[in-house]
Amino acid sequence: MSFEPDLRVEIAGIRFPTPLIAASGTFGYGTEYLDVADYRAIGGIVVKGLYMEPREGCAPPRIWETPSGMLNAIGLQEIGVERFVSDKMPRLRELGVNILVNICGSTIEEYGDLARILDDVEGVCGIELNISCPNVHEGGILFGCDPDMAARVTERVRQNTRLPVIPKLTPIVTDITDIARKVEAAGADALSLINTIPAMAIDVETRKPRLANVVGGLSGPAIRPIAIRLVYQAAQAVDVPIIGIGGISGHEDALEFFLAGASAVQIGTMSFVDPSVWRKTLDGLEDYCRRHRVDRLSALKGSLVADVKAVPTGW
Amino acid sequence: MKRDERAVLFEREVLSPDACLLHFRSESLFRSFLPGQFTMVRLPETSGLLLRRPYSFCDVRAEHSSFSLLVKEVGEGTRALARLAIGTSVDCLGPLGSSFRPPPNDRTPLIVAGGVGIAPFLAFCRMLARRGQRAIVLLGGRTSADLYLRGEFLSLGMDVRSATEDGSFGHEGLVTDVLAEVLNGKTSFELYSCGPTPMLVRVARMARERGLPHQVSLERRMGCGMGCCLGCVVFVHSTNEYVRCCTEGPVYDADEVAWERDPYPL
């Protein structure tokens, strides 16, 4: 009889049919990739960062390619919660995929108010707290850099919703374990990490920044080793599940995150590059699990062999 | 329907020292696109580049089951694509974006193209020729080497006029000088333009002054081409917001575009 690994995962009570989740800001409002991506391979979609009111976002140019990475300063251009609920949720519900909503506020109260509104919206199965966007001038990363502020945001949202609350952390902290512990204590049901890394590029001919916002957030394979380290450290510090994010382009990248301690992963930039990344990554994970006789993905978590010297292999 | 399809480079036509027309064979992309639409090309991994790059579909050769992209080397991505070895296959996502609407029969299509901005108009003129419409095509460039595909437009029966800044071919000066001359006639025109932003702004102003409809194709850096990353936005008047060039564009009514908020050329 063939060996069939179980790749379903459960995080904070949300049952994901696959461990692959579309990262906020990279999958629109869920329907844009219907023609070209295999949605059966997608366990969930985190929709774009949402404020109470619509936002214009940053001036263009907004993106630039860097070595193995993408620099962006979109600045959370979005439609506001009212239009999201009336215009976008009906179609999102039809997809049959878990929908998580990434929320952002200018104040702690705004995070709380958004959570209260979303609590009653059919089809929303979790809230990701954006306390880590580097491209907005209030809220965002300013809350995420300060562990106490991050905890206060988490606590307020926790009080206002029955939905699972998942703070998305920034890598720009002195000690990831400190902030991870504090948001866990404040009621976080899981953690997403990492968000993009504040970064910059300059056109040397014109001597101007490549982005109108001057600085942006770096994503893509360039940031993966940083994300792996942070997931690894955070996983040592907290009991809640971790969703790993950062430059995943296939099953081996995803496996690094699982071995570092993640329970699921989000894919962002690479779905721009390759819409088939979902199916290829899922198939790759299944094949890996068969070869290694891993019956369920959760068995990989924490199975990192860290007590021996790293063995040099082909590279 | 959008597809992500493998296309094989089978011919490179050198157009100038830094521009070429690449002919790709593919199963279905060549059949379904509308003039003005584009494809996101995945660069070979050996290029070391990550993001796809957008290119207008330039032409179709049905007998070869092929489509063509006009590529001018202006950066790492364009260089990597222009120098692909014959026989290399790349992934092309498309067809994407909005397309040019042909003019009503009582209007003459008047195309203004600057340099590589001519790319989307060859397929468009082929469509016009099939409809029995003859466009006036104004080509502009710094030198004669920048007047790409002039022969192809002539062979389609189009009325082609040229301008070069160095006077090496056609009118010495800007293509918009030629446009001003043409517009001084009494014919009813529908304008189409693609090229450097300063040229587009001048064309837009001239069209508006005369109350002529004007469709413009804009070029932007794009991360996904699918409407998700919001990296390619253009500010528009009607809704007073940024809209996506990959989805709501790249072809816009020129009056819609808030040129004063446009930071390009790239």
Side-chain angles (χ1 to χ4, degrees):
Chain A
M1 202 173 116
S2 68
F3 182 78
E4 284 304 320
D6 185 355
L7 295 189
R8 295 173 299 177
V9 294
E10 185 170 331
I11 294 171
I14 310 167
R15 291 177 182 169
F16 292 94
T18 87
L20 310 178
I21 301 168
S24 172
T26 65
F27 216 70
Y29 292 108
T31 57
E32 287 83 348
Y33 277 101
L34 278 170
D35 283 348
V36 289
D38 182 353
Y39 279 53
R40 292 167 302 175
I42 300 173
I45 295 171
V46 187
V47 294
K48 185 161 179 60
L50 195 66
Y51 278 84
M52 195 64 81
E53 301 295 333
R55 289 173 65 97
E56 185 174 294
C58 296
R62 290 176 166 185
I63 61 170
W64 182 252
E65 177 162 347
T66 57
S68 297
M70 172 177 162
L71 198 55
N72 90 78
I74 308 300
L76 291 174
Q77 179 183 342
E78 53 83 43
I79 59 176
V81 70
E82 193 178 317
R83 267 180 66 198
F84 169 75
V85 172
S86 63
D87 298 358
K88 301 298 180 185
M89 268 314 291
R91 191 76 184 87
L92 279 163
R93 277 192 287 269
E94 288 173 9
L95 293 175
V97 176
N98 285 322
I99 303 301
L100 294 92
V101 180
N102 181 291
I103 63 169
C104 198
S106 303
T107 61
I108 291 176
E109 289 70 30
E110 189 177 348
Y111 281 96
D113 293 345
L114 279 163
R116 184 180 295 115
I117 293 169
L118 292 169
D119 197 44
D120 294 328
V121 177
E122 185 194 345
V124 175
C125 68
I127 293 177
E128 187 176 73
L129 300 186
N130 188 343
I131 49 172
S132 42
C133 176
N135 297 322
V136 293
H137 297 299
E138 69 288 320
I141 200 168
L142 294 179
F143 288 153
C145 287
D146 178 341
D148 293 322
M149 191 67 90
R152 285 174 58 199
V153 174
T154 306
E155 190 174 23
R156 173 63 65 98
V157 171
R158 176 71 287 153
Q159 289 163 353
N160 285 14
T161 180
R162 296 159 297 176
L163 293 167
V165 177
I166 308 171
K168 182 172 180 177
L169 303 185
T170 173
I172 307 304
V173 287
T174 311
D175 179 4
I176 196 74
T177 63
D178 182 34
I179 190 167
R181 281 196 196 95
K182 282 184 170 151
V183 295
E184 182 186 40
D189 299 287
L191 306 177
S192 290
L193 62 144
I194 58 174
N195 206 323
T196 57
I197 300 176
M200 182 174 174
I202 297 169
D203 180 341
V204 297
E205 293 300 323
T206 63
R207 306 187 183 191
K208 291 179 180 177
R210 295 289 192 180
L211 301 177
N213 196 51
V214 183
V215 297
L218 182 64
S219 64
I223 72 167
R224 195 174 63 242
I226 298 167
I228 297 285
R229 188 265 297 179
L230 289 161
V231 166
Y232 174 69
Q233 291 179 330
Q236 314 295 308
V238 296
D239 292 326
V240 293
I242 290 175
I243 302 171
I245 318 166
I248 294 166
S249 62
H251 70 280
E252 289 184 339
D253 303 340
L255 284 161
E256 278 197 74
F257 278 93
F258 296 135
L259 291 168
S263 299
V265 293
Q266 292 182 14
I267 297 178
T269 304
M270 289 309 295
S271 87
F272 297 158
V273 179
D274 182 8
S276 68
V277 67
W278 305 102
R279 173 47 63 192
K280 286 178 185 166
T281 303
L282 191 66
D283 289 350
L285 286 174
E286 278 177 353
D287 181 56
Y288 176 91
C289 289
R290 280 194 202 99
R291 284 192 292 111
H292 290 266
R293 307 298 287 180
V294 175
D295 59 352
R296 62 202 153 75
L297 212 51
S298 56
L300 288 174
K301 189 179 161 186
S303 69
L304 180 71
V305 181
D307 59 346
V308 293
K309 285 181 183 171
V311 178
T313 54
W315 70 320
Chain B
M1 184 175 151
K2 298 164 191 147
R3 304 168 65 95
D4 190 14
E5 195 163 287
R6 185 63 47 104
V8 181
L9 177 68
F10 70 94
E11 188 184 350
R12 177 192 293 101
E13 261 182 74
V14 175
L15 302 178
S16 77
D18 62 358
C20 59
L21 193 61
L22 299 179
H23 298 285
F24 291 91
R25 190 167 288 122
S26 84
E27 283 294 312
S28 64
L29 275 175
F30 78 96
R31 281 192 223 116
S32 56
F33 80 87
L34 297 168
Q37 289 190 301
F38 67 98
T39 177
M40 293 293 286
V41 182
R42 188 174 185 185
L43 300 162
E45 283 185 23
T46 50
S47 70
L49 295 167
L50 179 68
L51 298 175
R52 293 184 183 229
R53 299 293 198 269
Y55 291 93
S56 288
F57 286 108
C58 182
D59 199 15
V60 175
R61 291 202 290 184
E63 70 275 21
H64 291 116
S65 299
S66 74
F67 63 85
S68 313
L69 306 178
L70 175 55
V71 182
K72 183 179 181 182
E73 297 184 35
V74 292
E76 284 182 87
T78 45
R79 199 174 303 125
L81 189 63
R83 298 179 186 184
L84 274 187
I86 300 296
T88 308
S89 56
V90 291
D91 291 333
C92 292
L93 186 56
L96 303 171
S98 58
S99 57
F100 293 116
R101 299 181 308 278
N105 287 329
D106 59 345
R107 285 189 182 271
T108 302
L110 173 50
I111 293 167
V112 189
V116 75
I118 195 64
F121 292 122
L122 189 52
F124 184 55
C125 282
R126 215 177 276 291
M127 175 206 261
L128 293 173
R130 275 198 305 272
R131 294 163 55 99
Q133 290 179 304
R134 185 177 191 232
I136 300 174
V137 181
L138 309 184
L139 301 178
R142 288 199 179 87
T143 79
S144 59
D146 301 329
L147 305 177
Y148 310 119
L149 306 171
R150 189 175 160 273
E152 277 78 354
F153 287 95
L154 286 169
S155 66
L156 282 172
M158 302 296 141
D159 175 358
V160 183
R161 307 178 198 184
S162 307
T164 51
E165 290 174 38
D166 67 357
S168 55
F169 193 90
H171 167 78
E172 181 174 353
L174 298 175
V175 69
T176 43
D177 304 338
V178 184
L179 175 63
E181 278 175 33
V182 174
L183 290 176
N184 284 337
K186 296 294 180 192
T187 314
S188 173
F189 293 110
E190 179 132 356
L191 269 70
Y192 301 83
S193 67
C194 184
T197 302
M199 183 202 89
L200 301 178
V201 172
R202 280 194 294 273
V203 177
R205 192 182 305 129
M206 293 160 79
R208 176 180 283 198
E209 283 166 3
R210 293 162 177 81
L212 296 171
H214 174 201
Q215 297 173 45
V216 61
S217 174
L218 298 179
E219 186 184 4
R220 287 293 181 272
R221 284 179 211 150
M222 293 180 182
C224 67
M226 301 288 284
C228 285
C229 76
L230 307 184
C232 63
V233 294
V234 173
F235 202 89
V236 297
H237 290 302
S238 59
T239 51
N240 213 32
E241 65 183 353
Y242 285 116
V243 299
R244 302 162 295 185
C245 190
C246 65
T247 311
E248 282 79 20
V251 178
Y252 295 86
D253 285 325
D255 281 348
E256 268 285 88
V257 178
W259 298 103
E260 70 281 5
R261 294 188 61 155
D262 199 289
Y264 293 83
L266 296 174

